[in-house]
Amino acid sequence: MDDNSDGTTADIASAVSDERYTCTLRTGGTVVLGADRLVVDRGDEPVVVELDDVVEASLQDIDWFLAVMSAALIGFGLLSLDRSILLGGAFAAAGAVSLALTYRKRYALRIQVTGRTDPLRCFPADPQTLLAELEQALAD
């Protein structure tokens, strides 16, 4: 008998009947693509999506506008250091944090699902492969 302390592995195995592809998430967790379902497990409650309910799947590149604005904020902060070290440093630090968060959210897999207003977003370690497998599963 398989004893899981949290039961998530058993829940995912029962949610997906025929596993096609498994991928890890950069933020922790796994994505399991089955013949008829997609399960996104981020550590809390797993999200189970029927493939028949998937309207569109796309890969969101880095938000270039936000990246450029963050870099400009860093530059403004560095140029302002001679007037006020505290204020210039605060602008540069805010720009660096914004740039780091923008970079962290690159290659988000967005899955539009029927009945959900917001798309399901996850950050797979290998986003192109997961998108190709998902598109192949949707085509079948």
Side-chain angles (χ1 to χ4, degrees), residues 52-139:
D52 293 337
D53 294 339
V54 174
V55 177
E56 179 186 19
S58 62
L59 203 56
Q60 181 181 354
D61 197 12
I62 192 167
D63 188 356
W64 286 106
F65 176 75
L66 191 56
V68 169
M69 292 304 290
S70 300
L73 192 60
I74 292 171
F76 177 75
L78 293 177
L79 290 174
S80 300
L81 283 176
D82 60 346
R83 291 184 182 221
S84 172
I85 293 178
L86 184 62
L87 195 58
F91 274 107
V97 167
S98 177
L99 189 62
L101 290 175
T102 302
Y103 180 74
R104 186 175 174 200
K105 292 182 181 179
R106 73 197 184 284
Y107 295 124
L109 181 64
R110 296 171 45 109
I111 303 168
Q112 188 65 44
V113 180
T114 303
R116 287 181 65 130
T117 55
D118 294 332
L120 175 65
R121 292 180 63 202
C122 61
F123 303 98
D126 190 8
Q128 285 87 5
T129 306
L130 180 59
L131 179 63
E133 289 289 332
L134 184 58
E135 287 175 344
Q136 181 64 32
L138 292 173

